[in-house]
Amino acid sequence: MGSLKRKSSWSSKTLAKSKKRKGPHLPNSILKIIATQKRPLNSDDNEIDSDVDLYEYEEGIPEEESRKNNRYGRLDNYEFKLPDDFEDEDVESEDDEDGLNSEYDGDDDRHTRMLQVLTGMPSAAFNSENKSKPLLFTEPYPEGEFNPTRDVLSGKNILTEEDFLAPLEEYHKTSKQISRMRKDTYKSLVHPPLPKPDRERLERKAARGLVDEEFSKWVHLVKRNREAPTVYFNQEVVNLGKSTVGAIASEFQPRTEFEMRMASVLNDNEVSEAHREDGARLLELNQASSVIYFIPCRLHDVSMEDHIKDYNHIAKMRSLLFNHERKSKQIKKIKSKLYHRLKNKDLRNSVLGALMDPEMAKEEAMKQEARRVEERMTFKHKNRGKWAKRMVRRGLNVKYNGTGEAITEQLQINAELSRKINSLRDGSSSDEEELSDGSDQDTPYKLLAKAKEKTLRALEDDEVCNSGLMSLPFMVRAMKKKNEEANEEAKRAVEEYEEWENSGGAVKPKKTISVSGRRVFGAIEAPKESKKDSDNFYDNNSDSDIDDNDLEGVRDTASPARRNTGTTTETEVTRDEGGEDSESEAEQMVDGIFEVPSQAELINRAFAGDDVVGEFEKEKQEVLNQEVPEPEKPVLLPGWGQPWPTNKRGYHQIKTTRKEEDAQRKREEALKTRKDFRLKHVIISEKVDKKAEKLHTTTPPFPFTSKEVFEHSMRMPIGPEFNPSTVVGDLNRPEVVKKTGVIIKPVKFEEVNPNEEVDDEHPRNHQKPRLNKKTSRRQSKVK
Amino acid sequence: MEVALEDNSLMDKVLPPDEQEIDVELEAKEKKYLRGEGANLETLKDKKLKTQLASREKLYGKSAKAAAKIEKWLLPASAGYLETDGLEKTWRVKQTDIAKEVDILSSRNQYDIVLPDFGPYKLDFTASGRHMLAGGRKGHLALVDMMSMNLIKEIQVRETVRDVAFLHNDQFFAAAQKKYSYIYARDGTELHCLKERGPVARLRFLKNHFLLASVNKIGQLHYQDVTYGDMVASIRTGKGRTDVMEVNPYNGVVALGHSGGTVTMWKPTSQAPLVQMQCHPGPVSSLAFHPNGHLMATSGKERKLKIWDLRKFEEVLGDSSGDYSRYMSHSMVKGYQIEKVMFRPYEDVLGIGHSMGWSSVLIPGSGEPNFDSWVANPFETTKQRREKEVHLLLDKLPPETIMLDPSKIGAMRPSRRKERLTRGEIEAEKEVAVEAAKGVELKKKTKGRNKPSKRTKKKKELVENAKRTFPEQENSAAGKKRRIGEDAAAELPACLKRFARKN
């Protein structure tokens, strides 16, 4: 009953238990065994509990409380509930004597009384029943004189040895013994072990001390190796064995079948002898051996005839192929008759052909002439043909482009042919004239007459066109004036001709050609020639007067030309002089006629470009602007992006923004930091040479961290050109010196004097004592 | 001998008395060979690097010491000089006077070669000074062995010859002729005709880079690689015709003198001049470089000679100062036109090419007394010459290594960023700004606003504003830095953020 009640108060615990006890219903005996195994046997209370549990109805968790789903509104559990992990330690204490007046006991009393009343039996019966249930004892043994009290158990008032010994102290004799005993007791006193972490820490500490000691032995060695500029490995003499090709070859042992066979041939005495002495024998042997060794069995079966047959067959096929190829090539070359005809025609038509062959040219010319004649006679190409007429009548439609083109082409041909005729005529006529001129040179009279005639004719026809611009009054006047002048000239000319006719002197008729009433623009050849002539024969020209006159006669035309020629010749002369100057100077020097320039001249020369300095400054400014560009001016027009006029006058003030000022300041600073800032006469370019950039590092190489240290370490050259031979080796020794092909052994411990200076300069010397040391140590060990 | 033996037996514990004496001269030489100070290793945190560099420095010191000792004890000759007693000026000493004093070998170097027919002569020496090339203006080319005074080859090209130049050794030489320039072999065979350059005025050979530089009549500068014949660069100088051209032997930079009095310096990899200097008010007549490349001498048509320090691009005080005064003078026959003046390497000899042939005079102290067979050997055998040629070709430098300061090769790239202003400069600027703010004239405003109190307030404000800009700049810089760090942290993935460096 009591247990039931307790249940209610421990609802939570049972709940937890009930959850566990789900499963198959086992027979009681088994369950009991399980229970006894689980719990200590002497805890009766629990036993009972387990008994009860087996037969008790177990109420599941009400659905409201299970909170599996929120079907029910949340019910507040007002019953006090212990936490799940609550350990009911004090339960026992409830059963103590101290807690007799507790509620639980009170309940019991009441219960017994109730039973007494109901049954009429003495309460002892019930009590015995009640007492038969063993009480829970918290102490292992009943309280008594010889049993430790609860205090003692809890460790409060422990009896020490002193307590026992205190009464004995009175006896002096025993005091010594006691003290000894005390000591013993102290000795034998075993302290409880330290907590594990502390113990471990201590262990580690001790171990570290040991390891430190072990390792610190190596520190000096490691330090020395680290700081050594060169580390040497395997300095002892090691025999690496044979390495030459001959040595390796001599070791060769034939293993495979092929190798064996080769060896047998190579080592055959017969063969080697033959090789040494008799060539013919060697040949024989070779054939024999080839038959034996090298001709595979399959080939061996083929007879000589078959071989020849095969060979012939191949040759035949090859020749066939060759012929076929040749034929195809020929075919490619063959061209049709038409092709050749066209080609020839082209050649004939081309100018090249005409040039090449005079006969052909002649033929061509004849043909051309014939065509021309035909054209002239028939107007073949004037679109007078039936077809052309029809076409024209129908109208040159845009629809048929071809017809239009054809017609224009015909017209073109016509024009060409006719033009050619004209030009030919002109050419021929001029030629004739020239020829006649040439022929007339013998007969100046005739020529003079002709000239006279011409001038007269020119005088007579004063054609003045009276239309357009020429009809304007001032133009008319000007023309009149010109005409008059021309007339006068012509008259003069006529007079001259007459004079010459009378005098009968030698005349150069060419000059007269230019004398005409017409206006002439630009220079004419003839007067130039005359000028040249006059230049050449200036002194010995008999008829210079004629020349002069002549020149006078054509003054308006020839004078500019004359002037030109004059100037050109002059310049030529000066240039020649200039050119010769430097060359001739040398000659002059040789002759010893070197002119020392005067002081004034020198000064002139020195200050020829007076504003040299100013120019240089300008150039410097340019360079500076290029290398440190001026900040960009604002792109906005004045007024844009600014408030309404701020100036008194109402104009927009252009304010420099902070940005611009900054840029300007930056530029000034950049200029200040330039090397040539203070040097007026110097421009030092600070352009970055991209090609030379690879010769510099951007960051100091690994072990270095500062620029200065790195650059200072780089200041000395280490090559043999710059250092005495005694130091070059040390300066250029690699970091590691070792022998190739030898395994590097791990470092061995050796005693190092930490104060010893590392001797880098004489590594060889350094090495030897080390070796000696090692050997000595070994010896000592042996001893 | 005994003393020496004792020294040896004493080993290195006790230094011999000679060495104990501090040799100032040796120390100075050592310093020269150290080529500057080593870096301050104390600042280094990396111990390994520190010790390695320290050992390196020790080696450098050793090398320098050895070199200094070699220079002190093993170099056979020292540069001569002209010594006069008392008030006598050195430039009054004539060649005839010198001839009496010097040894026979040297006196053989005083001579005049009279060749009146083929005009003023151009001269060129090989690097060793063994061979000389003379090019007469009227086509006479002569190759002379200066040691034995033998004429090796003489050719007449029947053309104007404007300049001659040896290539890397005496086996080849180039001549700038009337229309094209040509390369000839030692025996006078024409090997190449260089048509691309046009009519060349001056020819120079850059021996470390194997470049034949030339400037033509229209002021174009060409660089041609003579090893494979490629035109490395052709630059239009844009300064007009010039016939003043010289190569800086230190860095291979070509300098041209122009009619405007400017000297421009060029390298093949850039179209713009490296340096332009306004040296003279009139045309530049000639140019010369000191072998160490730091000094340049120019002369102008206004009869002035100037010496320039090329490290600072400033004029070194001219001939009036003590350092540079007239040393010697040599008068030529009146009327001789001098075309070319050139010192013979490793000899105290000056070659003068003029209109009547060439002359050779003695200038004591002009030549380097000790030749280095690594550099140039006047007594070279054929085998050595061949060996040298191969070495030269292997050591050929690419054209981009021509720069004003070749010691910068292999160093860090010069930063393009400007240096920040120093504290003092900022202070100065601040003061200026404050002064400017104080000096601002305030406008006269309407009655109520024009109170003196308001005016002073306004003025104070202005000054404050002016002041405020400066610390702000610093703050902003710091803020920017911080921001950069933050950005870097922000970019990292979340897992790596904790490793981001905290400032």
Side-chain angles (χ1 to χ4, degrees), chain A residues 602-621:
Chain A
L602 266 177
I603 286 167
N604 272 343
R605 218 188 274 177
F607 300 101
D610 201 8
D611 198 25
V612 171
V613 179
E615 264 172 41
F616 186 79
E617 267 167 20
K618 217 181 279 171
E619 199 170 331
K620 180 165 183 177
Q621 207 54 50

Side-chain angles (χ1 to χ4, degrees), chain A residues 1-2 48 104-105 107-109 111-112 115 123-135:
Chain A
M1 293 284 273
I48 290 160
Y104 170 72
D105 283 32
D107 269 11
D108 248 6
D109 273 7
H111 185 70
T112 48
L115 284 174
S123 62
F126 300 108
N127 275 338
S128 67
E129 192 200 359
N130 199 18
K131 267 177 192 156
S132 69
K133 194 184 93 184
L135 284 164

Side-chain angles (χ1 to χ4, degrees), chain A residues 226-229 582-583 585-587 589-590 592 594 596-597 599 602 605-610 612-613 616 619 623 658 665-666 669-670 672-673 675 679-689 691-718 720-724 726-727 730-733 735 757-758 760-762, chain B residues 33-41 43-44 46-49 51-53 55-60 62-64 66-67 70 116 119-120 137-138 160 239 260-262 267 269-270 272-278 280-283 301-303 308 312-315 334-337 355-356 372 374 395 398 400-404 408-416 418-419 421 429 469 473:
Chain A
R226 268 195 174 191
E227 290 175 353
S582 53
E583 312 285 336
E585 250 181 15
E587 282 170 32
M589 240 74 74
V590 173
F594 180 69
V596 178
Q599 185 68 23
L602 266 177
R605 218 188 274 177
F607 300 101
D610 201 8
V612 171
V613 179
F616 186 79
E619 199 170 331
V623 171
R658 199 190 183 89
R665 194 151 39 79
K666 259 185 191 173
E669 269 172 26
K672 265 185 201 173
T673 51
K675 272 189 217 162
L679 302 167
K680 262 190 179 176
H681 61 282
V682 181
I683 307 169
I684 301 170
S685 164
E686 291 196 349
K687 271 183 189 166
V688 180
D689 187 1
K691 277 178 190 164
E693 261 185 356
K694 66 186 171 193
L695 300 170
H696 300 288
T697 58
T698 45
T699 51
F702 160 61
F704 294 99
T705 45
S706 79
K707 181 188 169 189
E708 280 161 21
V709 174
F710 169 60
E711 284 183 357
H712 273 289
S713 76
M714 294 288 292
R715 75 181 194 283
M716 282 281 280
I718 54 172
E721 294 94 336
F722 304 94
N723 289 294
T726 50
V727 202
D730 296 336
L731 280 170
N732 294 299
R733 190 160 291 123
E735 276 182 19
E757 286 271 307
V758 182
D760 317 317
E761 291 110 46
H762 304 290
Chain B
Y33 284 110
L34 263 179
R35 295 174 172 88
E37 294 279 305
N40 183 18
L41 297 179
T43 55
L44 279 177
D46 188 348
K47 279 182 187 170
K48 190 178 173 187
L49 179 68
T51 46
Q52 280 182 350
L53 284 182
S55 64
R56 210 104 256 262
E57 281 300 325
K58 214 186 272 172
L59 280 179
Y60 290 157
K62 239 181 122 189
S63 164
I70 287 165
R137 175 135 191 124
K138 287 171 190 163
T160 314
K239 300 257 179 189
T262 52
K267 64 175 175 181
T269 49
S270 84
L274 289 172
V275 178
Q276 298 183 57
M277 295 171 77
Q278 182 70 43
H280 293 277
K301 284 267 163 70
E302 85 277 16
R303 287 177 163 184
W308 302 86
K312 292 187 282 182
F313 296 102
E314 277 172 0
E315 196 184 344
K334 194 175 181 183
Y336 279 23
Q337 183 200 5
S355 51
M356 290 287 279
D372 182 353
W374 282 100
D395 294 343
E400 56 265 23
T401 55
I402 298 176
M403 54 178 81
L404 275 180
K408 283 278 176 288
I409 291 173
M412 296 270 289
R413 187 179 297 167
S415 62
R416 262 180 261 175
K418 290 136 264 170
E419 295 118 46
L421 292 173
E429 274 186 21
T469 52
Q473 277 176 345

Side-chain angles (χ1 to χ4, degrees), chain A residues 418-665:
Chain A
S418 51
R419 181 156 26 94
K420 275 200 175 150
I421 293 157
N422 290 339
S423 69
L424 255 178
R425 265 185 197 159
D426 277 1
S428 62
S429 63
S430 61
D431 283 350
E432 275 166 26
E433 266 182 357
E434 271 172 24
L435 279 171
S436 66
D437 279 356
S439 60
D440 279 352
Q441 267 185 337
D442 311 358
T443 56
Y445 292 106
K446 247 185 190 175
L447 205 101
L448 275 173
K450 210 173 186 178
K452 203 177 160 185
E453 194 185 327
K454 267 190 177 175
T455 42
L456 284 173
R457 209 191 301 155
L459 269 172
E460 277 161 21
D461 52 64
D462 294 338
E463 292 167 5
V464 181
C465 58
N466 299 321
S467 63
L469 199 73
M470 292 305 176
S471 63
L472 289 171
F474 67 90
M475 284 306 282
V476 171
R477 254 178 282 143
M479 286 301 289
K480 220 183 227 173
K481 214 176 179 182
K482 279 268 166 69
N483 271 340
E484 274 168 18
E485 274 177 23
N487 285 347
E488 238 173 80
E489 262 173 42
K491 272 173 195 167
R492 230 185 295 150
V494 170
E495 277 168 28
E496 275 167 26
Y497 296 146
E498 279 167 0
E499 263 179 49
W500 288 338
E501 269 180 319
N502 297 339
S503 65
V507 177
K508 282 174 186 170
K510 261 188 196 169
K511 288 150 201 168
T512 57
I513 293 165
S514 60
V515 185
S516 66
R518 279 186 212 150
R519 272 176 294 162
V520 183
F521 302 99
I524 292 171
E525 286 294 307
K528 224 186 213 169
E529 272 176 51
S530 67
K531 169 66 189 163
K532 267 182 190 167
D533 287 356
S534 68
D535 275 345
N536 292 337
F537 313 103
Y538 198 73
D539 296 330
N540 52 0
N541 198 355
S542 57
D543 37 37
S544 59
D545 52 340
I546 296 170
D547 272 330
D548 281 355
N549 287 333
D550 182 49
L551 283 166
E552 233 174 27
V554 285
R555 179 174 288 154
D556 60 333
T557 59
S559 57
R562 181 195 179 189
R563 227 174 286 136
N564 282 344
T565 50
T567 48
T568 48
T569 45
E570 262 172 32
T571 47
E572 270 169 28
V573 167
T574 48
R575 206 179 297 147
D576 285 346
E577 276 168 9
E580 281 162 11
D581 207 303
S582 53
E583 312 285 336
S584 59
E585 250 181 15
E587 282 170 32
Q588 281 172 10
M589 240 74 74
V590 173
D591 301 335
I593 326 163
F594 180 69
E595 276 181 36
V596 178
S598 70
Q599 185 68 23
E601 204 179 344
L602 266 177
I603 286 167
N604 272 343
R605 218 188 274 177
F607 300 101
D610 201 8
D611 198 25
V612 171
V613 179
E615 264 172 41
F616 186 79
E617 267 167 20
K618 217 181 279 171
E619 199 170 331
K620 180 165 183 177
Q621 207 54 50
E622 262 172 41
V623 171
L624 290 184
N625 284 342
Q626 205 181 354
E627 286 185 13
V628 188
E630 276 193 71
E632 280 179 22
K633 290 276 179 289
V635 194
L636 284 176
L637 285 169
W640 286 97
Q642 281 178 349
W644 192 245
T646 47
N647 210 358
K648 272 180 193 169
R649 290 174 192 167
Y651 292 121
H652 286 285
Q653 250 179 344
I654 302 170
K655 277 188 180 173
T656 50
T657 58
R658 199 190 183 89
K659 222 178 187 179
E660 285 166 44
E661 276 172 19
D662 277 358
Q664 194 64 36
R665 194 151 39 79

